[in-house]
Amino acid sequence: MLSTYVPIVGLFALAAAFALFSVAVAPFVGPRRYNRAKLDAYECGIEPVDQPLTGGRFPVKYYLTAMLFIVFDIEIVFLYPWAVANDALGVWGLVAMVVFIGTVFLAFAYEWRRGGLEWD
């Protein structure tokens, strides 16, 4: 009965062995020439600046982009199970998914029209 889990356990063992090997070998094969640019913190291409202890203010655009990503990411999460069970759901499943995709498309069109996808 447990023989069906042998491939999964083998895959986990292989992944763990690869991770341990990579961590153990990295100091020996990695680059050894360090300079100031490589030791500095990298912040998405923006030069890091000193900020007060309270932190800087982020534009709302970052949060809107994050929310858009979450909305469309959740759409994909709902589409995968539907694609797997498409045959079993029949016409009702197709209609429900068309309504769902139509609703998400309306949200996308609204955001696009309002300029939520444009970086100023």
Side-chain angles (χ1 to χ4, degrees), residues 50-98:
D50 294 332
Q51 292 182 354
L53 293 176
T54 59
R57 295 184 61 140
F58 287 100
V60 176
K61 199 71 143 169
Y62 291 114
Y63 299 111
L64 289 176
T65 305
M67 285 190 286
L68 280 174
F69 173 76
I70 289 171
V71 165
F72 293 114
D73 192 41
I74 288 175
E75 176 192 7
I76 297 301
V77 167
F78 284 130
L79 282 176
Y80 273 125
W82 174 78
V84 170
N86 188 20
D87 291 337
L89 296 175
V91 176
W92 171 248
L94 179 64
V95 170
M97 192 50 62
V98 166

Side-chain angles (χ1 to χ4, degrees), residues 13-68:
L14 183 65
F18 178 74
L20 289 173
F21 174 76
S22 297
V23 170
V25 173
F28 301 112
V29 297
R32 290 185 172 68
R33 287 177 274 157
Y34 298 107
N35 59 26
R36 185 169 181 229
K38 286 186 180 181
L39 294 176
D40 266 351
Y42 180 73
E43 306 228 356
C44 301
I46 301 171
E47 290 291 325
V49 295
D50 294 332
Q51 292 182 354
L53 293 176
T54 59
R57 295 184 61 140
F58 287 100
V60 176
K61 199 71 143 169
Y62 291 114
Y63 299 111
L64 289 176
T65 305
M67 285 190 286
L68 280 174

